[in-house]
Amino acid sequence: MLGKDYISNLLSQMTLKEKAAEMTQLWGENPDGTLMGILRGFHQNEHLSANAGSLLGFCGAQRVLEAQRLHMEESAHHIPLLFMTDVIHGYKTIFPSVLGLGAAWDPSLIEESASVAAAEASVSGVHVTFSPMADLVRDARWGRVIESTGEDPYLNSLCSAAFTRGYQGDGIGKPLHIASCVKHFIGYGAVEGGRDYDSAQIGDYQLFNDYLPPFLAAVEAGCELLMPGFNTLNGVPCTASRRLLQEILKDFMHFQGVVISDCTAVCELVPHGICEDQAQAAALSIGAGVDVEMVSSSFYDHLEKLIETGAVSMAQVDGAVERILTLKDKMGLFENPYKDASPQKEQELHLCGKHRQLARKAAAQSLVLLQNQNQALPLQNNERIALIGPYADSRKLLDIWGLVNGKEEDCVTLYEAFGEHAACAQGCRLWNLRNLEEERPSDADLIAQALELADKSDKIVLAIGEHPDMSAEAGSRTDLELPANQIALLKALHDTQKPIVTVVFTGRPLVLTEIARYSSAVVIAWFPGTEGGRGIADVLTGRCAPTGRLPMSFPRATGQAPIYYNHLPTGRPNTTNSYQPFANGYIGIEPGPLYPFGFGLTYTEFSYSEVTLSCRSVTCTAPSEQKLLTASTVVTNTGSRTGEETVQLYIQDVAGTYSRPVRMLKGFQKITLGPGESRTVAFSISPRMLEYYIPQKGISLEEGTFRIYIGPHAESTQYQEFLVKGGY
Ligand code: NOJ
């Protein structure tokens, strides 16, 4: 690192036009692979191409080495380029989709996977990844729920910090680490109706308590960059919101890194309806605190004029450029512009055995077992298995973010993985539903073929689900059901009376009411990544037991969306299991989700004793007091196999100045117990777990009654109460 003086000196030599170029990120290449930006042909502007600060989506060691060499020769001050791309859940070795990683409830797994992703990306010349996505998501219609770790601020915070630590390690200048960009600040997950790019309305109470914590956690973990969301929040596009990017991000959260717009989001301020033209869009976003404009060129095109008219100050421009150059310096790029880029290391690291092994473990850990009637799972050694369905032998195991740099041909299918398991090698047959893309009723011939195969088998493994294109960016849906032809297939197979294990591939919570009715066992596989087939086979055959837990509630009907466990109580709660007139809910369906947040079965069962508290009343007047009391329960493995349980702690603040959520996850512990074994699981209750943000006042802990729930998911019923006196 060369330091502050070096950067100031460099800055003092740059012209305004060069500064504007430094604040611009160009596409690295056309979709057809032809090169742009530094290697010419994009803006048709030699000066911008030669002096741009960064490239988007341009990677591969050989190409980066060449592009950086050219850039160092041609740019006015020999300032190295930053290469940024979307490394979302793996670079070449692809881990399960982020929602699946969230389902593992294991921040250390996320950290490890992010560190592998960073290593693979860095040797391909990548310096920055646009991850983690810290958006809180509650509406399964929104396609981008797949990129989030779910509906809970606490779990999301642990995960976003873990991603950041994994990418950045103990320093972004160190070998095999890259810088992390947390996104999309803020409220993108709350877009109306789950429609992508739509607007969000969130009051400060929910903004600070629910949406902000995962961003704060990433910032506190040292995240170097942040991206504002495409959406408007309370009428102002995030890209142009000084309140968000200055008052909340810098003043409140103390973020000091680089703010980069989302792709063309600066230009989009015009269609958003807050600017007349791109010059105004540039002025507004720079004024709000955006340092880098991604892909569009309004900064570059208009900055000189904006400085002349005083719409943008030189101090704002210098601040932005200084932050960008400081990031480059922290990465050591002024000393070595190529950092880790190395074709030889790509050979060594990409998809190496160790990385594949971790991806396999992550795929297994991300699976959530929702139903297991008559112990349909694990599959037994002597069983003949009919493996049927569109995902039975499919390599479509990557979501669209996995496909940025990962390849389907590197994926191991479920069929191939079954073949490697002695347990299944015998009876396993494949039947593939043609044309996953088409949502049309199954044709009778295909069903007949499936039935024929099912007839010769003892059990059916049915691999069905959404197509990967049906989620992620621009993947919003009005319908959370599976395609009708898949349901028809399931029903036809059900008529054989053979046990059916349904494995559901999905990028979001789906309505599984019919799937559950016609299946013996139901497993959620998300999009499981390169080693997905093996990870799933490991769980189905009992090589590993399922341990995943839902990071989002699964609804009973699409019309329930958004549905989430930590909602506010209503004046008319429905505490029964059916529709009640004049109580909260919908006509004709049971209240609540089909499967709650935190839910997931394994191959054994656990019982919980009553919750016990070390005291019933505490006095707390300052946030510094570390432990107020202990809450515990005794968990017993009542089944016949060793198993892992995720013991979850939820707290409810019974009455506050603001209506408080019905419960909030505040901790969890994973324990492994042998058959018949019991263990006391204790949680220390700290003031931080009880406090919340009160608008106009700040972080507070209010006197009154609190309820502590300890159980296996967000609808567990065991609780005890205690009183807090004092408060702050
Ligand atoms: C648009 C997406 O919203 C964002 O998440 C992504 O990082 C950028 N494009 C760059 O690809």
Short mmCIF file of all heavy atoms in Angstrom, two decimals, residues 360-401:
data_model
loop_
_atom_site.label_atom_id
_atom_site.label_comp_id
_atom_site.label_asym_id
_atom_site.label_seq_id
_atom_site.Cartn_x
_atom_site.Cartn_y
_atom_site.Cartn_z
N ARG A 360 -20.01 -29.95 -2.35
CA ARG A 360 -20.85 -31.13 -2.08
C ARG A 360 -21.42 -31.07 -0.66
O ARG A 360 -22.60 -31.29 -0.44
CB ARG A 360 -19.98 -32.39 -2.25
CG ARG A 360 -20.69 -33.68 -1.96
CD ARG A 360 -19.76 -34.84 -2.26
NE ARG A 360 -20.41 -36.12 -2.07
CZ ARG A 360 -19.95 -37.27 -2.57
NH1 ARG A 360 -18.86 -37.28 -3.30
NH2 ARG A 360 -20.59 -38.40 -2.34
N LYS A 361 -20.54 -30.70 0.27
CA LYS A 361 -20.99 -30.59 1.66
C LYS A 361 -22.05 -29.49 1.77
O LYS A 361 -23.08 -29.65 2.43
CB LYS A 361 -19.77 -30.24 2.53
CG LYS A 361 -20.06 -30.07 3.99
CD LYS A 361 -18.77 -29.83 4.76
CE LYS A 361 -19.03 -28.84 5.87
NZ LYS A 361 -17.86 -28.28 6.49
N ALA A 362 -21.80 -28.36 1.09
CA ALA A 362 -22.76 -27.24 1.16
C ALA A 362 -24.09 -27.63 0.55
O ALA A 362 -25.16 -27.29 1.07
CB ALA A 362 -22.19 -26.02 0.45
N ALA A 363 -24.05 -28.37 -0.57
CA ALA A 363 -25.30 -28.79 -1.21
C ALA A 363 -26.09 -29.66 -0.24
O ALA A 363 -27.30 -29.48 -0.06
CB ALA A 363 -25.01 -29.53 -2.51
N ALA A 364 -25.40 -30.60 0.40
CA ALA A 364 -26.09 -31.48 1.36
C ALA A 364 -26.66 -30.67 2.53
O ALA A 364 -27.80 -30.87 2.95
CB ALA A 364 -25.13 -32.56 1.85
N GLN A 365 -25.86 -29.73 3.01
CA GLN A 365 -26.31 -28.94 4.18
C GLN A 365 -27.45 -27.98 3.84
O GLN A 365 -28.15 -27.53 4.73
CB GLN A 365 -25.13 -28.14 4.74
CG GLN A 365 -24.36 -28.91 5.80
CD GLN A 365 -23.34 -28.02 6.48
OE1 GLN A 365 -22.15 -28.22 6.30
NE2 GLN A 365 -23.77 -27.04 7.25
N SER A 366 -27.59 -27.65 2.56
CA SER A 366 -28.63 -26.69 2.21
C SER A 366 -30.01 -27.35 2.06
O SER A 366 -31.03 -26.68 2.04
CB SER A 366 -28.26 -25.97 0.90
OG SER A 366 -28.41 -26.86 -0.19
N LEU A 367 -30.02 -28.67 1.95
CA LEU A 367 -31.31 -29.35 1.72
C LEU A 367 -32.20 -29.27 2.95
O LEU A 367 -31.72 -29.38 4.08
CB LEU A 367 -31.07 -30.83 1.42
CG LEU A 367 -30.25 -31.20 0.20
CD1 LEU A 367 -30.45 -32.66 -0.14
CD2 LEU A 367 -30.62 -30.35 -1.01
N VAL A 368 -33.49 -29.09 2.70
CA VAL A 368 -34.43 -29.06 3.82
C VAL A 368 -35.46 -30.17 3.63
O VAL A 368 -36.16 -30.21 2.60
CB VAL A 368 -35.13 -27.69 3.93
CG1 VAL A 368 -35.97 -27.64 5.20
CG2 VAL A 368 -34.12 -26.54 3.94
N LEU A 369 -35.53 -31.04 4.61
CA LEU A 369 -36.51 -32.13 4.58
C LEU A 369 -37.79 -31.62 5.23
O LEU A 369 -37.80 -31.27 6.41
CB LEU A 369 -35.95 -33.34 5.35
CG LEU A 369 -36.87 -34.55 5.50
CD1 LEU A 369 -37.15 -35.20 4.14
CD2 LEU A 369 -36.25 -35.59 6.46
N LEU A 370 -38.87 -31.58 4.45
CA LEU A 370 -40.12 -31.00 4.97
C LEU A 370 -41.11 -32.07 5.42
O LEU A 370 -42.03 -31.80 6.19
CB LEU A 370 -40.78 -30.12 3.91
CG LEU A 370 -39.99 -28.87 3.50
CD1 LEU A 370 -40.76 -28.09 2.44
CD2 LEU A 370 -39.72 -27.99 4.72
N GLN A 371 -40.97 -33.26 4.90
CA GLN A 371 -41.93 -34.31 5.22
C GLN A 371 -41.24 -35.64 5.03
O GLN A 371 -40.46 -35.79 4.08
CB GLN A 371 -43.12 -34.17 4.26
CG GLN A 371 -44.19 -35.20 4.42
CD GLN A 371 -45.41 -34.84 3.58
OE1 GLN A 371 -46.02 -33.78 3.77
NE2 GLN A 371 -45.74 -35.68 2.62
N ASN A 372 -41.54 -36.60 5.90
CA ASN A 372 -40.92 -37.92 5.75
C ASN A 372 -41.83 -38.99 6.35
O ASN A 372 -41.53 -39.57 7.39
CB ASN A 372 -39.54 -37.93 6.42
CG ASN A 372 -38.70 -39.13 6.01
OD1 ASN A 372 -39.03 -39.81 5.02
ND2 ASN A 372 -37.65 -39.42 6.75
N GLN A 373 -42.95 -39.24 5.65
CA GLN A 373 -43.92 -40.21 6.18
C GLN A 373 -43.37 -41.63 6.06
O GLN A 373 -42.75 -41.98 5.05
CB GLN A 373 -45.23 -40.11 5.39
CG GLN A 373 -45.97 -38.82 5.67
CD GLN A 373 -47.04 -38.55 4.62
OE1 GLN A 373 -47.16 -39.26 3.62
NE2 GLN A 373 -47.81 -37.50 4.85
N ASN A 374 -43.66 -42.42 7.06
CA ASN A 374 -43.26 -43.84 7.09
C ASN A 374 -41.78 -44.03 6.77
O ASN A 374 -41.40 -45.01 6.12
CB ASN A 374 -44.09 -44.66 6.10
CG ASN A 374 -45.56 -44.48 6.36
OD1 ASN A 374 -45.96 -44.45 7.53
ND2 ASN A 374 -46.35 -44.30 5.32
N GLN A 375 -40.99 -43.07 7.18
CA GLN A 375 -39.54 -43.14 6.95
C GLN A 375 -39.20 -43.52 5.51
O GLN A 375 -38.42 -44.44 5.25
CB GLN A 375 -38.91 -44.11 7.94
CG GLN A 375 -39.14 -43.63 9.37
CD GLN A 375 -38.33 -44.40 10.38
OE1 GLN A 375 -38.07 -45.58 10.20
NE2 GLN A 375 -37.95 -43.73 11.44
N ALA A 376 -39.83 -42.81 4.60
CA ALA A 376 -39.52 -43.04 3.18
C ALA A 376 -38.04 -42.78 2.93
O ALA A 376 -37.42 -43.36 2.04
CB ALA A 376 -40.37 -42.12 2.33
N LEU A 377 -37.48 -41.87 3.70
CA LEU A 377 -36.05 -41.59 3.63
C LEU A 377 -35.40 -41.97 4.96
O LEU A 377 -36.06 -41.89 6.00
CB LEU A 377 -35.81 -40.10 3.37
CG LEU A 377 -36.09 -39.62 1.95
CD1 LEU A 377 -35.95 -38.11 1.85
CD2 LEU A 377 -35.14 -40.30 0.95
N PRO A 378 -34.14 -42.33 4.98
CA PRO A 378 -33.26 -42.50 3.83
C PRO A 378 -33.61 -43.75 3.01
O PRO A 378 -34.21 -44.68 3.52
CB PRO A 378 -31.88 -42.64 4.46
CG PRO A 378 -32.13 -43.16 5.84
CD PRO A 378 -33.45 -42.60 6.25
N LEU A 379 -33.19 -43.73 1.75
CA LEU A 379 -33.39 -44.89 0.89
C LEU A 379 -32.58 -46.06 1.44
O LEU A 379 -31.52 -45.86 2.03
CB LEU A 379 -32.92 -44.56 -0.53
CG LEU A 379 -33.55 -43.31 -1.16
CD1 LEU A 379 -32.89 -43.00 -2.50
CD2 LEU A 379 -35.06 -43.47 -1.33
N GLN A 380 -33.10 -47.25 1.26
CA GLN A 380 -32.41 -48.42 1.80
C GLN A 380 -31.61 -49.12 0.71
O GLN A 380 -31.96 -49.05 -0.47
CB GLN A 380 -33.42 -49.39 2.41
CG GLN A 380 -34.27 -48.79 3.53
CD GLN A 380 -33.43 -48.28 4.68
OE1 GLN A 380 -32.50 -48.97 5.12
NE2 GLN A 380 -33.72 -47.08 5.17
N ASN A 381 -30.59 -49.86 1.15
CA ASN A 381 -29.68 -50.54 0.24
C ASN A 381 -30.35 -51.42 -0.81
O ASN A 381 -29.96 -51.44 -1.96
CB ASN A 381 -28.75 -51.44 1.06
CG ASN A 381 -27.45 -50.72 1.27
OD1 ASN A 381 -27.11 -49.84 0.49
ND2 ASN A 381 -26.74 -51.09 2.32
N ASN A 382 -31.34 -52.18 -0.35
CA ASN A 382 -31.91 -53.18 -1.26
C ASN A 382 -33.09 -52.65 -2.08
O ASN A 382 -33.73 -53.40 -2.81
CB ASN A 382 -32.35 -54.40 -0.45
CG ASN A 382 -33.18 -53.97 0.74
OD1 ASN A 382 -33.43 -52.78 0.93
ND2 ASN A 382 -33.63 -54.93 1.53
N GLU A 383 -33.39 -51.36 -1.95
CA GLU A 383 -34.57 -50.84 -2.65
C GLU A 383 -34.28 -50.56 -4.12
O GLU A 383 -33.22 -50.04 -4.46
CB GLU A 383 -35.04 -49.54 -1.98
CG GLU A 383 -35.80 -49.78 -0.71
CD GLU A 383 -36.11 -48.48 0.01
OE1 GLU A 383 -35.38 -47.48 -0.18
OE2 GLU A 383 -37.07 -48.47 0.78
N ARG A 384 -35.26 -50.87 -4.95
CA ARG A 384 -35.15 -50.49 -6.37
C ARG A 384 -35.79 -49.11 -6.51
O ARG A 384 -36.95 -48.93 -6.15
CB ARG A 384 -35.86 -51.50 -7.26
CG ARG A 384 -35.10 -52.83 -7.36
CD ARG A 384 -35.95 -53.89 -8.01
NE ARG A 384 -37.22 -54.02 -7.27
CZ ARG A 384 -38.35 -54.48 -7.80
NH1 ARG A 384 -38.37 -54.85 -9.06
NH2 ARG A 384 -39.45 -54.59 -7.08
N ILE A 385 -35.00 -48.17 -6.99
CA ILE A 385 -35.46 -46.78 -7.04
C ILE A 385 -35.74 -46.36 -8.48
O ILE A 385 -34.90 -46.54 -9.35
CB ILE A 385 -34.37 -45.83 -6.48
CG1 ILE A 385 -33.89 -46.27 -5.09
CG2 ILE A 385 -34.85 -44.38 -6.47
CD1 ILE A 385 -34.95 -46.23 -4.03
N ALA A 386 -36.91 -45.80 -8.70
CA ALA A 386 -37.20 -45.18 -10.00
C ALA A 386 -36.92 -43.70 -9.88
O ALA A 386 -37.58 -43.00 -9.12
CB ALA A 386 -38.65 -45.41 -10.38
N LEU A 387 -35.92 -43.25 -10.59
CA LEU A 387 -35.57 -41.83 -10.53
C LEU A 387 -36.22 -41.15 -11.74
O LEU A 387 -35.89 -41.45 -12.89
CB LEU A 387 -34.05 -41.69 -10.57
CG LEU A 387 -33.48 -40.28 -10.55
CD1 LEU A 387 -33.95 -39.52 -9.34
CD2 LEU A 387 -31.95 -40.35 -10.56
N ILE A 388 -37.15 -40.28 -11.45
CA ILE A 388 -38.04 -39.75 -12.49
C ILE A 388 -38.10 -38.24 -12.40
O ILE A 388 -38.00 -37.68 -11.31
CB ILE A 388 -39.46 -40.35 -12.28
CG1 ILE A 388 -39.43 -41.85 -12.55
CG2 ILE A 388 -40.50 -39.67 -13.16
CD1 ILE A 388 -40.73 -42.56 -12.23
N GLY A 389 -38.32 -37.60 -13.55
CA GLY A 389 -38.64 -36.17 -13.52
C GLY A 389 -37.62 -35.31 -14.22
O GLY A 389 -36.52 -35.76 -14.55
N PRO A 390 -37.97 -34.05 -14.46
CA PRO A 390 -37.11 -33.17 -15.26
C PRO A 390 -35.74 -32.91 -14.66
O PRO A 390 -34.81 -32.59 -15.39
CB PRO A 390 -37.92 -31.87 -15.36
CG PRO A 390 -38.98 -31.98 -14.31
CD PRO A 390 -39.24 -33.42 -14.10
N TYR A 391 -35.59 -33.06 -13.36
CA TYR A 391 -34.27 -32.84 -12.76
C TYR A 391 -33.53 -34.15 -12.46
O TYR A 391 -32.48 -34.13 -11.85
CB TYR A 391 -34.39 -32.00 -11.49
CG TYR A 391 -34.57 -30.52 -11.79
CD1 TYR A 391 -35.81 -29.91 -11.71
CD2 TYR A 391 -33.48 -29.75 -12.17
CE1 TYR A 391 -35.97 -28.56 -12.00
CE2 TYR A 391 -33.61 -28.40 -12.46
CZ TYR A 391 -34.86 -27.82 -12.38
OH TYR A 391 -35.00 -26.48 -12.67
N ALA A 392 -34.10 -35.27 -12.89
CA ALA A 392 -33.50 -36.56 -12.56
C ALA A 392 -32.08 -36.68 -13.11
O ALA A 392 -31.18 -37.17 -12.44
CB ALA A 392 -34.36 -37.69 -13.11
N ASP A 393 -31.88 -36.21 -14.33
CA ASP A 393 -30.54 -36.31 -14.92
C ASP A 393 -30.18 -34.97 -15.57
O ASP A 393 -29.62 -34.93 -16.65
CB ASP A 393 -30.52 -37.44 -15.96
CG ASP A 393 -29.09 -37.81 -16.35
OD1 ASP A 393 -28.17 -37.56 -15.54
OD2 ASP A 393 -28.90 -38.34 -17.46
N SER A 394 -30.52 -33.90 -14.88
CA SER A 394 -30.33 -32.58 -15.46
C SER A 394 -29.09 -31.90 -14.88
O SER A 394 -28.79 -32.04 -13.70
CB SER A 394 -31.56 -31.73 -15.15
OG SER A 394 -31.32 -30.41 -15.53
N ARG A 395 -28.43 -31.13 -15.75
CA ARG A 395 -27.31 -30.31 -15.25
C ARG A 395 -27.77 -28.88 -14.98
O ARG A 395 -26.96 -28.00 -14.74
CB ARG A 395 -26.18 -30.29 -16.28
CG ARG A 395 -25.46 -31.61 -16.33
CD ARG A 395 -24.26 -31.64 -17.25
NE ARG A 395 -24.15 -32.97 -17.79
CZ ARG A 395 -23.73 -34.02 -17.10
NH1 ARG A 395 -23.33 -33.89 -15.85
NH2 ARG A 395 -23.71 -35.22 -17.64
N LYS A 396 -29.05 -28.67 -15.03
CA LYS A 396 -29.56 -27.32 -14.74
C LYS A 396 -29.60 -27.13 -13.23
O LYS A 396 -30.65 -26.94 -12.63
CB LYS A 396 -30.94 -27.13 -15.36
CG LYS A 396 -30.90 -27.07 -16.87
CD LYS A 396 -32.11 -26.38 -17.44
CE LYS A 396 -31.99 -26.18 -18.93
NZ LYS A 396 -30.86 -25.33 -19.34
N LEU A 397 -28.44 -27.20 -12.63
CA LEU A 397 -28.38 -27.14 -11.17
C LEU A 397 -27.85 -25.79 -10.70
O LEU A 397 -27.57 -25.60 -9.52
CB LEU A 397 -27.47 -28.26 -10.65
CG LEU A 397 -27.89 -29.67 -11.09
CD1 LEU A 397 -26.94 -30.72 -10.53
CD2 LEU A 397 -29.32 -29.98 -10.64
N LEU A 398 -27.68 -24.85 -11.66
CA LEU A 398 -27.15 -23.53 -11.33
C LEU A 398 -28.21 -22.48 -11.62
O LEU A 398 -28.84 -22.52 -12.69
CB LEU A 398 -25.91 -23.22 -12.17
CG LEU A 398 -24.82 -24.29 -12.24
CD1 LEU A 398 -23.65 -23.79 -13.09
CD2 LEU A 398 -24.32 -24.66 -10.84
N ASP A 399 -28.36 -21.52 -10.71
CA ASP A 399 -29.25 -20.41 -11.02
C ASP A 399 -28.51 -19.45 -11.95
O ASP A 399 -27.35 -19.68 -12.30
CB ASP A 399 -29.75 -19.72 -9.73
CG ASP A 399 -28.63 -19.06 -8.95
OD1 ASP A 399 -27.59 -18.68 -9.54
OD2 ASP A 399 -28.78 -18.90 -7.72
N ILE A 400 -29.17 -18.36 -12.33
CA ILE A 400 -28.51 -17.52 -13.35
C ILE A 400 -27.22 -16.89 -12.83
O ILE A 400 -26.32 -16.61 -13.60
CB ILE A 400 -29.45 -16.45 -13.96
CG1 ILE A 400 -29.90 -15.46 -12.90
CG2 ILE A 400 -30.61 -17.07 -14.70
CD1 ILE A 400 -30.55 -14.20 -13.52
N TRP A 401 -27.10 -16.69 -11.51
CA TRP A 401 -25.84 -16.12 -11.00
C TRP A 401 -24.73 -17.15 -11.01
O TRP A 401 -23.56 -16.81 -11.17
CB TRP A 401 -26.04 -15.52 -9.61
CG TRP A 401 -26.94 -14.32 -9.69
CD1 TRP A 401 -28.22 -14.24 -9.24
CD2 TRP A 401 -26.64 -13.05 -10.31
NE1 TRP A 401 -28.73 -12.99 -9.53
CE2 TRP A 401 -27.80 -12.25 -10.18
CE3 TRP A 401 -25.52 -12.53 -10.96
CZ2 TRP A 401 -27.86 -10.94 -10.67
CZ3 TRP A 401 -25.59 -11.22 -11.44
CH2 TRP A 401 -26.74 -10.45 -11.29
#
